[in-house]
């Protein structure tokens, strides 16, 4: 009898490991010496078997080719990939794995590969189906699995644009939607390590005699070095799947703190602390690996939540470097470039005159202004006047990330119908309310209210003349927002109402 081939021994080891759940023992044995874990979900595509004793085993290619699939216990049930049952079993297991990773190797970097199945090969032909599954169908099925894995593992996600991904008809393993052209692997290596990879089989590959690595396919690479040997991480940190998947982007003094507080009571929603606020307003932060690591660490706390939000009152502000505002970095472009293209952006907008007056007194209490200056003489750096030019700021965001992603809520609803306002936000995020959620909310409690500001405001009010000038300044912006939200905003457009609301009684 011929000795078993290296490939057959590899299959046997894979299948035996799956049945024995060997990952647990590997983590306890080697976890402390591991500095990088690379995760690829492609082998999930065939689903899993639910065995009669309640345990599960992945239906892998190795399981099929080894022949072990034919000897599964009677009553074993195949759970197809992409079904709700499979997703629920798999998500529970993935969250468990994330906990084990954190327990046994908290120092390790976990990288998740998010590479679409190629619909076309580099030769220009369509890729074949894999076990009856087309590439386009597989890509849509994989998306929620990628999102769950990224959250559960606290992983840095390495992605390529689907347009960049092609299969390689001369791939050593044969033509398949996930057997990529060599340039796809090389680009993935570059994004993973920051350095160029080595050509293995294409033009420029080393002759066989010079290769030190086996040509047998390797399923996982774990770097095991002592702590003193480990280099500083060069893994690019992917914000798209590990960071926030919704934003409350402003405006200042518009009720965003109150909204963030209410949403945080929902069991499916995690709101990052103020430590994360304003990250996308500074390129020094989102281009720095250290700063990005700190930012993502905030969201690891919410990895068990389906939705993770960040609140920044200044994201909405698009400064133009004029007498009303300083030049500001483009937060909308940073969000477009670094977050998932489906990330909703919530704006809570307040009557721009009242917002300016509230910001004026907030800055006064903060020591940024003195009582001798008119509201129109406030430093441009405060944005007191410029933040109220809602049309300019909204159009910039809509043009940058797409109007379908930008959602406007009206601050007045917090006062008139706070529960209805929260329901609007939940609807935007696609989550349902429950009585348990409402029991936790603090709808009638104000956030960031200063009694000291109230006292100063009564003694030194913004004059009626200044209020009238502000109202005239914002007329077109008020009309624009009325058009966007599809309703009249009489409390904004009526000058008498505005003056009455902002003059102390």
């Amino acid at each position: 009898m011929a000795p078993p081939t290296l490939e057959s021994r590899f299959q046997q080891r894979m299948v035996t490991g799956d049945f024995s759940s060997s990952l647990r023992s590997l983590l306890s044995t080697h976890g402390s010496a591991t500095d990088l874990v690379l995760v690829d979900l492609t082998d999930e595509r065939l689903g899993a078997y639910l065995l009669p004793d309640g345990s599960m085993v992945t239906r892998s290619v190795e399981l099929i080719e080894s022949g072990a699939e034919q000897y599964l216990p009677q009553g074993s049930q195949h759970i197809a990939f992409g079904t709700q049952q499979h997703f629920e079993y798999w998500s529970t297991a993935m969250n468990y794995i994330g906990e084990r990773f954190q327990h046994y190797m908290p120092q390790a970097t976990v990288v998740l590969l998010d590479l679409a199945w190629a619909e076309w090969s580099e030769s220009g032909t369509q890729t074949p189906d894999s076990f009856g599954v087309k590439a386009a169908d597989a890509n849509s099925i994989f998306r929620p699995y990628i999102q769950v894995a990224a959250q559960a593992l606290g992983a840095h996600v390495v992605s390529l644009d689907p347009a960049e991904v092609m299969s390689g008809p001369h791939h050593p393993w044969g033509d398949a939607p996930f057997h990529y052209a060599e340039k796809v692997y090389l680009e993935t290596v570059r994004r993973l390590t920051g350095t160029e990879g080595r050509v293995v089989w294409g033009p420029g590959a080393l002759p066989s005699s010079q290769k030190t690595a086996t040509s047998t396919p390797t399923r996982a690479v774990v770097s095991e070095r002592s702590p003193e040997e480990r280099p500083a991480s060069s893994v690019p940190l992917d914000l798209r799947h590990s960071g926030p998947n919704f934003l409350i982007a402003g405006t200042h003094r518009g009720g965003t703190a109150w909204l963030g507080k209410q949403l945080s009571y929902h069991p499916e929603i995690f709101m990052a602390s103020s430590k994360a606020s304003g990250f996308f307003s500074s390129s020094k932060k989102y281009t720095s690996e250290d700063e990005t690591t700190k930012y993502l660490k905030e969201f690891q706390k919410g990895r068990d939540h389906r939705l993770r939000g960040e609140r920044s009152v200044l994201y909405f502000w698009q400064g133009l470097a004029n007498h009303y505002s300083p030049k500001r970095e483009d937060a909308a472009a940073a969000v477009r470039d670094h977050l998932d293209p489906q990330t909703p952006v919530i704006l809570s907008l307040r009557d721009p005159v009242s917002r300016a007056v509230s910001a004026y007194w907030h800055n006064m209490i903060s020591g940024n202004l003195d009582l001798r200056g008119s509201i129109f003489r406030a430093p441009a750096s405060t944005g007191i006047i410029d933040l109220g030019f809602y049309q300019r700021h909204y159009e910039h965001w809509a043009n940058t990330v797409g109007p379908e992603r930008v959602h406007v809520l009206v601050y007045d609803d917090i006062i008139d119908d706070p529960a209805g306002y929260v329901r609007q936000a939940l609807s935007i995020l696609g989550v349902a309310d429950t009585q348990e959620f409402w029991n936790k909310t603090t709808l009638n409690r104000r956030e960031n209210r200063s009694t000291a500001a109230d006292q100063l405001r009564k003694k030194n009010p913004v004059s009626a003349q200044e209020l009238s000038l502000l109202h005239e300044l914002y007329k077109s912006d008020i009309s624009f927002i009325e058009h966007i939200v599809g309703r009249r905003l009489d409390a904004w457009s009526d000058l008498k109402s505005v003056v009455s609301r902002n003059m102390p009684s």
Side-chain angles (χ1 to χ4, degrees), residues 323-338:
H323 61 288
Y324 283 139
S325 73
K327 179 65 176 176
R328 291 178 51 78
E329 293 196 44
D330 194 341
V335 168
R336 176 200 62 202
D337 295 342
H338 294 283

Side-chain angles (χ1 to χ4, degrees), residues 91-102:
S91 297
T92 299
M94 186 55 66
N95 281 305
Y96 170 81
I97 290 172
E99 293 172 359
R100 296 298 85 192
F101 277 14
Q102 185 63 31

